[in-house]
Amino acid sequence: MRTTPPLVALLAATALVLTACSTGGSSAKQAGGGTLTVLTPSSTLLLDPASSQNLATTSLSFLDRRLTTWDVKQGQDAKVVPDLATTTGTASDDGKTWTYTLKSGLKFSDGSPITSESIKYGIERSFSDQLQGGLSYHKTLLQGGDGYKGPFDGKQLASIATPDSSTIVFHLNKAFGDWPWIASMPAFSPVKESNGNPAAYVKAPITSGPYKVASIKDGTSVTLVRNKYWSKKTDSVRTAQADTVVFQESQNQTTTVQNLVNDTGSYKTAFGAQYLGAADLATVNGNAAAKARLSTSQAGPIQYLAINTQRGSLKQLKVRQALEYAVDKKAYLVASGGSNAGTYASTLITPGIAGRQDYDLYEAPETGDVAKAKSLLASAGVSGLKLVLLTQNDSASLAQAQAVQQGLKRAGITVTLKTEDVDSFYKDVAVSNPTFDLSLSSWQPDFPSANANISPLFDSSQIGNGNFNVSQYKNSSIDEAIAAAQAEVDQTKAQAQWAAIDKRIMADAPIVPLVYAKQSFLHGSGVGNFFIPSFPAYPDYMTLTLTK
């Protein structure tokens, strides 16, 4: 997803990884019917898939199906699987053309058929200026996408062909082996043209998933009821066991946690959509029954120290390598909340991503290797190094920045902290030629591929213009390797390529991997099959059950 401030939760911008702890109640006898309640601090549930960055396994999975979706299980890498389509896609033209055939009998919540034309229209809507904020990978990959402005003026995108009502063909401007993952994103949900006006859609969407919208109370709740036209026979992933799903919006996190700890009334079949902070964890861990209903990831989004590779002494590899050894990762983790907050990181590809290889090019104690850092600085002819570290001005980010500052000080590196509010921070880290030396960042991929770990952060085309190559990292051979891995349709071969790229980039030391963030979620005793998968490190809404 987007870079996120360390340990600051934005509902759709957090993630975790690997298997969860005890989930409580999952082995109990399942019961049909009932109401599942999702407690969220968000004041608005974004219902329009064209403007959503929603994970394939969370909120909109109740309402919308896509061509493909994610199959996530405890302790296993996420897989892309067919959803509306019969396969995850058939590639031709060396990966530049992808063809899908729809399953038979698919219907919208109003009983009308879901067709390839409705999927094409749903994707075309996402190009409109009236619908902004959604994931945009397809916009740069589809031929002609750069100049297309959406269907509301009657124009269509020629690179999406619908030769018949059950076939849809995508023509890309370059080979892209991860297209099956792209086809699982929100914009690939079918939308009826008669329902496509943005203002009308959000008030009464005609849906393709197991539920439809029954009522919307702005800032308070969204209530979903069963879509009688959804068929489990065509949907191998979603359980859709509850009769009703209620999103309770604008929830105070402290109150949410306390209600779930008490586990009474409707809170028995509820869960919190935001991960727990340190104070919340203390509350839960003080109650044995609640602690048994806590799910915690073993690893998650990578938090890292970005090094401005185009600035001053940091242009020298040995200086950047010195930072790898000088950082005190233990102090950073303590400042973040200790072992409950994360596990130490050393790779760019995060746990739970298929093909990831575990390695550490800068092996050192958790507190660092100050002598090694000093030796590298001396070898580079650098002394009295002074750096500016950009960080956010909230207390959590400041504590983490101070931990980095103190760690580097041991190696004779003076770090000055420059603090900014969250909006200013994200604006300043995403420009070309920034005026800082270091910054603290966090990243969760938008889809379970190393491509989404590496390309946004280290491809030179992603420098500035609001993009996320915060390190200003430029390496033409890496750019070529990224392009080759993206074009590889054989995912086994692609994964080997990404693993090699991971190590090559870390040899250049553009960042210091700090931790893979852990996150914890709490649920009521009546919610079953509640777990944190390998990816995303977030509850899988699609497979939740209600238990007796």
Side-chain angles (χ1 to χ4, degrees):
M1 288 249 168
R2 300 294 164 255
T3 45
T4 57
L7 303 182
V8 176
L10 297 175
L11 178 59
T14 56
L16 325 104
V17 167
L18 293 179
T19 54
C21 298
S22 171
T23 59
S26 296
S27 61
K29 183 178 179 181
Q30 296 181 3
T35 298
L36 175 68
T37 301
V38 185
L39 305 167
T40 173
S42 174
S43 61
T44 303
L45 179 63
L46 295 176
L47 296 176
D48 198 314
S51 56
S52 173
Q53 294 187 18
N54 190 261
L55 298 173
T57 54
T58 56
S59 305
L60 287 188
S61 66
F62 289 128
L63 294 171
D64 299 317
R65 297 177 66 180
R66 298 109 189 241
L67 283 173
T68 64
T69 191
W70 304 355
D71 182 18
V72 297
K73 292 182 173 63
Q74 294 190 64
Q76 299 180 22
D77 295 335
K79 297 188 299 183
V80 62
V81 295
D83 193 357
L84 293 172
T86 57
T87 69
T88 58
T90 301
S92 57
D93 191 21
D94 295 324
K96 293 176 66 177
T97 300
W98 288 84
T99 301
Y100 293 85
T101 301
L102 300 186
K103 297 172 181 175
S104 60
L106 300 171
K107 293 183 179 181
F108 282 107
S109 57
D110 67 351
S112 60
I114 294 172
T115 64
S116 58
E117 291 85 359
S118 59
I119 294 175
K120 172 182 168 71
Y121 182 74
I123 298 168
E124 288 175 337
R125 290 174 75 250
S126 69
F127 285 83
S128 171
D129 290 340
Q130 297 180 51
L131 291 162
Q132 297 185 356
L135 297 173
S136 59
Y137 292 90
H138 60 287
K139 297 179 184 180
T140 59
L141 288 168
L142 286 166
Q143 291 179 10
D146 54 348
Y148 185 62
K149 299 299 182 182
F152 300 131
D153 60 358
K155 296 180 181 179
Q156 296 188 18
L157 185 59
S159 56
I160 305 177
T162 53
D164 57 58
S165 62
S166 62
T167 305
I168 187 166
V169 183
F170 300 97
H171 298 283
L172 312 185
N173 52 38
K174 65 178 182 179
F176 197 79
D178 274 335
W179 186 257
W181 290 113
I182 305 303
S184 72
M185 292 184 175
F188 286 74
S189 304
V191 175
K192 294 186 66 173
E193 187 167 354
S194 60
N195 187 228
N197 178 277
Y201 185 93
V202 295
K203 294 180 180 179
I206 298 174
T207 63
S208 53
Y211 297 93
K212 62 182 181 179
V213 176
S215 67
I216 300 173
K217 298 179 180 178
D218 291 340
T220 301
S221 67
V222 176
T223 300
L224 313 181
V225 295
R226 288 192 182 278
N227 166 17
K228 67 179 181 180
Y229 295 104
W230 172 80
S231 172
K232 177 62 180 173
K233 292 180 180 178
T234 67
D235 194 336
S236 63
V237 177
R238 297 168 182 82
T239 55
Q241 193 181 70
D243 284 335
T244 305
V245 178
V246 179
F247 285 85
Q248 292 288 357
E249 300 172 327
S250 307
Q251 298 293 297
N252 176 274
Q253 177 69 352
T254 301
T255 303
T256 290
V257 172
Q258 192 58 61
N259 285 331
L260 289 173
V261 167
N262 293 339
D263 195 38
T264 59
S266 63
Y267 294 103
K268 286 188 175 182
T269 54
F271 70 92
Q274 182 175 348
Y275 71 75
L276 276 60
D280 301 324
L281 283 171
T283 298
V284 174
N285 288 329
N287 183 302
K291 187 176 181 180
R293 292 183 275 110
L294 185 69
S295 289
T296 300
S297 68
Q298 293 185 6
I302 184 172
Q303 296 179 1
Y304 61 95
L305 179 68
I307 303 170
N308 188 340
T309 58
Q310 304 302 313
R311 187 170 167 85
S313 297
L314 297 178
K315 294 178 181 179
Q316 297 187 56
L317 175 59
K318 287 184 178 180
V319 175
R320 300 196 301 272
Q321 290 176 330
L323 299 183
E324 300 281 353
Y325 290 104
V327 165
D328 186 341
K329 293 185 181 181
K330 182 177 182 179
Y332 178 89
L333 186 58
V334 170
S336 303
S339 58
N340 288 328
T343 58
Y344 297 114
S346 61
T347 70
L348 306 177
I349 302 173
T350 49
I353 301 295
R356 175 182 181 269
Q357 295 181 12
D358 193 17
Y359 70 91
D360 188 354
L361 294 186
Y362 306 99
E363 192 168 351
E366 297 164 355
T367 55
D369 187 336
V370 176
K372 180 71 171 179
K374 288 182 176 179
S375 175
L376 283 164
L377 289 172
S379 178
V382 173
S383 61
L385 184 60
K386 296 181 179 180
L387 302 173
V388 174
L389 169 59
L390 183 68
T391 186
Q392 295 178 57
N393 57 12
D394 62 276
S395 59
S397 297
L398 185 59
Q400 292 164 332
Q402 289 170 337
V404 172
Q405 180 186 47
Q406 292 302 313
L408 298 185
K409 183 179 180 180
R410 302 172 305 167
I413 302 169
T414 301
V415 175
T416 300
L417 302 184
K418 180 182 179 182
T419 61
E420 294 184 342
D421 62 76
V422 61
D423 292 333
S424 297
F425 176 86
Y426 284 118
K427 178 181 178 181
D428 286 347
V429 297
V431 300
S432 299
N433 301 314
T435 57
F436 59 86
D437 303 295
L438 310 168
S439 65
L440 287 174
S441 295
S442 178
W443 183 258
Q444 172 191 316
D446 287 317
F447 54 96
S449 167
N451 181 6
N453 267 123
I454 290 175
S455 179
L457 303 186
F458 303 104
D459 191 315
S460 65
S461 67
Q462 301 302 302
I463 293 174
N465 300 315
N467 294 311
F468 300 100
N469 186 338
V470 180
S471 299
Q472 311 286 300
Y473 179 68
K474 301 176 183 178
N475 185 322
S476 59
S477 67
I478 292 295
D479 289 345
E480 292 172 0
I482 287 174
Q486 287 178 330
E488 180 56 66
V489 174
D490 185 323
Q491 288 303 293
T492 299
K493 293 180 180 178
Q495 288 162 14
Q497 289 175 289
W498 288 118
I501 293 169
D502 187 335
K503 292 181 180 179
R504 288 177 59 190
I505 293 173
M506 276 308 301
D508 282 341
I511 73 165
V512 179
L514 296 170
V515 301
Y516 307 116
K518 287 184 180 181
Q519 294 169 140
S520 299
F521 297 83
L522 184 63
H523 65 91
S525 60
V527 180
N529 202 39
F530 192 96
F531 66 93
I532 311 300
S534 297
F535 184 96
Y538 200 80
D540 178 13
Y541 292 16
M542 293 194 296
T543 58
L544 294 175
T545 61
L546 299 182
T547 63
K548 287 184 178 179

